[in-house]
Amino acid sequence: MTTDTPARLLQLLSLLQTPREWPGGELSQRLGVSRRTVRRDIDRLRELGYPVQASKGADGGYRLVAGKAMPPLVLDDEEAVAIAVGLRAGAGHAVEGVDEASVRALAKLEQVLPARLRRRVATLQAATMPLTSGDGASIAPETLTVMASTVAGHERLRFAYRAKDGTESRRLTEPYRLVSTGRRWYLVAYDVDRADWRTFRVDRVSEPFATGARFTPRELPTGDAAEYLRRSLQWQAHEYEFDVTFEEPPEALAARLPAWMGRPVTDGAGGSRLRGSTGDPVEWLAVRLAMLGCEFSVREPGELVECVRGLGARLGRAGGAEGAGAQAGGDTPPA
């Protein structure tokens, strides 16, 4: 018999979260209390916001139903491990629509996970590898959860950072927000040593450490982290416009294109035309176009035309194709 009321309520809640109806007599036997006590405990759960529905009958029955708000859940060990592993997969890759929610939920869950369950989660994570689509870099979930915790707790964060040119540095920051673009994670933070706001690519961060020092959040210049990141990326990157035609119709091509490249339109001759802008290196865009697996021709810019020619020549030579020498001369039309 469970005499401690809070413990009994948790045990009752755990039973009710199983998707079935529980007869009052069975709950009474499971908890080792009278049916009257069960009814009182059900009333207490309702007062706490848990929508427990009762059915009429000889024995009566109870089930937990969907309510207006999400009440706290009680998870057993296996359920907690399964959810943590799933959230780590969702948080470690920038999956549009669920990435930021995964990080917040993972930070809350890992804060209360016992050490033995954390070890199980880490073991499962190390032994598995997700197959993901998209071009974003993978991030260690631990990095994201440490950052999310310092953002939520207004706690200074120290980490090692590798810049685009490979330069290594140590940073002390006041983290403001984590922002996902759907391909990459960024940290918007105030850099204490440089006395200015900065954006950091999280896949270039290592050894994140929550210092424990609290701070009062500063006012972000733009007032919105996503807008600040957008302006920062535009300033950092040299954006250029591209214009590419494909032999496939727009509906067939659209299924292969990532959202950031834009939407193709018909070219009037049964094919497609894709126009957009990007700050990514032309070499990367050339490879990404080749990976689409269909015939295409680059119209603009000239740098992309030359890059595609050079890439075609190198691939031709690598494959031992005839005429590779002529391609290397640059006389071949763009791919």
Side-chain angles (χ1 to χ4, degrees), residues 13-309:
L13 182 58
S14 179
L15 293 171
L16 290 175
Q17 284 176 347
T18 304
R20 54 161 290 191
E21 182 172 292
W22 289 87
E26 187 172 351
L27 289 176
S28 175
Q29 292 177 0
R30 288 286 192 109
L31 300 174
V33 295
S34 68
R35 296 190 185 188
R36 182 180 179 183
T37 300
V38 170
R39 289 194 295 270
R40 285 203 304 264
D41 287 349
I42 292 293
D43 289 338
R44 290 192 182 97
L45 290 178
R46 287 170 176 162
E47 291 172 359
L48 293 172
Y50 292 95
V52 182
Q53 186 180 76
S55 61
K56 297 180 180 180
D59 195 25
Y62 302 94
R63 68 165 57 241
L64 196 63
V65 297
K68 295 181 180 179
M70 179 70 184
L73 298 176
V74 176
L75 305 172
D76 62 26
D77 286 3
E78 300 300 327
E79 292 166 342
V81 169
I83 291 176
V85 171
L87 289 174
R88 278 171 166 245
H93 302 272
V95 182
E96 191 170 4
V98 300
D99 37 23
E100 294 185 41
S102 295
V103 172
R104 292 197 305 270
L106 182 59
K108 291 177 182 178
L109 181 59
E110 294 205 340
Q111 184 177 2
V112 297
L113 275 183
R116 56 189 173 79
L117 295 188
R118 286 182 185 171
R119 286 193 291 271
R120 288 180 59 184
V121 171
T123 300
L124 276 172
Q125 191 75 15
T128 59
M129 178 178 293
L131 178 63
T132 59
S133 59
D135 308 301
S138 295
I139 309 294
E142 293 84 357
T143 298
L144 287 171
T145 53
V146 168
M147 288 184 168
S149 297
T150 56
V151 168
H154 302 152
E155 185 177 353
R156 284 188 171 183
L157 175 70
R158 191 184 299 277
F159 54 85
Y161 192 69
R162 174 178 51 82
K164 184 177 181 180
D165 62 3
T167 303
E168 302 277 352
S169 61
R170 301 288 302 184
R171 302 298 183 98
L172 176 63
T173 65
E174 295 177 355
Y176 186 80
R177 289 289 187 278
L178 278 167
V179 182
S180 169
T181 64
R183 294 174 54 215
R184 292 191 179 99
W185 279 103
Y186 290 86
L187 174 69
V188 176
Y190 186 83
D191 192 315
V192 176
D193 295 329
R194 290 158 180 77
D196 200 3
W197 289 92
R198 292 288 190 273
T199 58
F200 301 95
R201 269 182 52 175
V202 178
D203 58 299
R204 293 177 179 164
V205 169
S206 60
E207 304 173 36
F209 174 72
T211 64
R214 306 289 178 178
F215 66 89
T216 301
R218 304 169 190 266
E219 184 177 351
L220 191 66
T222 62
D224 180 79
E227 176 62 19
Y228 183 84
L229 175 63
R230 186 187 68 80
R231 294 184 186 182
S232 177
L233 293 179
Q234 286 181 345
W235 180 81
Q236 293 176 22
H238 170 62
E239 288 204 350
Y240 59 91
E241 295 184 349
F242 57 87
D243 188 353
V244 186
T245 57
F246 300 84
E247 294 187 4
E248 292 199 15
E251 56 272 15
L253 180 63
R256 305 183 185 183
L257 287 173
W260 67 267
M261 292 186 74
R263 306 301 295 176
V265 298
T266 182
D267 64 357
S272 305
R273 187 172 184 178
L274 180 66
R275 286 178 284 193
S277 63
T278 181
D280 289 312
V282 292
E283 295 84 1
W284 186 91
L285 181 57
V287 172
R288 194 65 183 84
L289 290 169
M291 289 172 59
L292 295 175
C294 56
E295 297 296 322
F296 67 94
S297 178
V298 178
R299 294 188 174 192
E300 292 179 353
E303 296 91 338
L304 182 58
V305 172
E306 293 301 320
C307 183
V308 169
R309 284 178 174 170

